[in-house]
Amino acid sequence: MGAINNDWLEPLSAEFRKPYYARLYKLVSEEYAKYQVFPPAGEILNAFHYTPLHEVKVVILGQDPYHETGQAHGLSFSVKPGVKIPPSLENIYQELHDDLGCFIPDNGCLTKWAGQGVLLLNSVLTVRAHQAFSHASFGWQTFTDAAIQAVNREDRPVAFILWGRSAQEKSSMLDNPKHLILKSPHPSPLSAYRGFFGSRPFSKVNHFLESNGETPIDWQIENMNS
């Protein structure tokens, strides 16, 4: 599964010693041995690698990784360069365009966001190919909840973007008054027209960061084929 070797290790190290994690590790290892599983094993913990805890300014919670070949690389909503942009991310880009005027890029790779302190975290970090939520019962949520709680304890303002019911259920953990919590429907085509479009999360986050003396996020993803 790879290892965490930055400042996430301190708040998460206790998780590795708990019984649920031993079960989780066994189940995930067996899945990778028997089936096609995404993301590649070395990329499962990419959200933590790309965005150290002390750099987290924004948390965007997803559910589980994309389950088609070549898409997932350990960051919620993001796909690898050269992969067709998934429908939910298309809607995120549309809202970003309407909110901040960003052009819609030719790729869905969000590593630029992660490098600026946007933690792109799924609740479940692995999935069997072509079977959404197939690892939902493995115990990943206990681990990722510990990560969310670690961010909640940070003594500085962080914005949490909670899209959809699954992400919004995490709001009960977020009791630090310094933080901003934004909720809206999920950007999926099934729900985006119920209030995701027009919710303006990106400008709200940047206003929050600037009002707290933080550098805003440059949300524009550049084209790769221009």
Side-chain angles (χ1 to χ4, degrees), residues 136-155:
S137 64
F138 283 16
W140 274 124
Q141 294 93 329
T142 306
F143 182 75
T144 53
D145 281 358
I148 294 166
Q149 289 165 340
V151 178
N152 179 62
R153 291 192 297 269
E154 289 288 287
D155 187 27

Side-chain angles (χ1 to χ4, degrees), residues 50-220:
Y50 275 97
T51 315
L53 177 58
H54 74 279
E55 293 181 4
V56 175
K57 294 179 176 181
V58 185
V59 179
I60 298 180
L61 286 176
Q63 295 181 3
D64 72 334
Y66 295 121
H67 53 81
E68 298 302 330
T69 303
Q71 292 180 306
H73 64 131
L75 303 177
S76 63
F77 296 101
S78 181
V79 291
K80 293 183 176 183
V83 175
K84 187 178 186 294
I85 300 171
S88 290
L89 185 53
E90 285 186 341
N91 288 340
I92 290 169
Y93 281 164
Q94 184 61 53
E95 178 60 20
L96 183 54
H97 169 75
D98 296 344
D99 186 5
L100 290 175
C102 293
F103 67 79
I104 296 174
D106 62 7
N107 69 92
C109 184
L110 305 181
T111 53
K112 177 181 176 180
W113 293 0
Q116 296 178 83
V118 181
L119 180 67
L120 297 167
L121 183 66
N122 282 315
S123 291
V124 176
L125 299 185
T126 54
V127 68
R128 192 185 296 182
H130 321 304
Q131 297 183 36
F133 305 118
S134 49
H135 291 181
S137 64
F138 283 16
W140 274 124
Q141 294 93 329
T142 306
F143 182 75
T144 53
D145 281 358
I148 294 166
Q149 289 165 340
V151 178
N152 179 62
R153 291 192 297 269
E154 289 288 287
D155 187 27
R156 55 193 174 79
V158 177
F160 290 82
I161 298 177
L162 308 179
W163 288 327
R165 186 177 306 154
S166 175
Q168 289 169 22
E169 288 172 353
K170 307 296 184 183
S171 64
S172 61
M173 290 187 249
L174 307 176
D175 57 3
N176 186 330
K178 293 189 175 184
H179 300 331
L180 173 70
I181 301 171
L182 297 177
K183 301 179 183 180
S184 83
H186 196 274
S188 159
L190 299 173
S191 56
Y193 288 93
R194 297 186 200 142
F196 171 75
F197 288 129
S199 60
R200 306 196 68 181
F202 308 101
S203 61
K204 289 175 181 174
V205 164
N206 278 356
H207 176 74
F208 168 76
L209 292 173
E210 289 179 301
S211 67
N212 283 283
E214 296 283 347
T215 305
I217 305 299
D218 176 6
W219 294 103
Q220 179 68 66

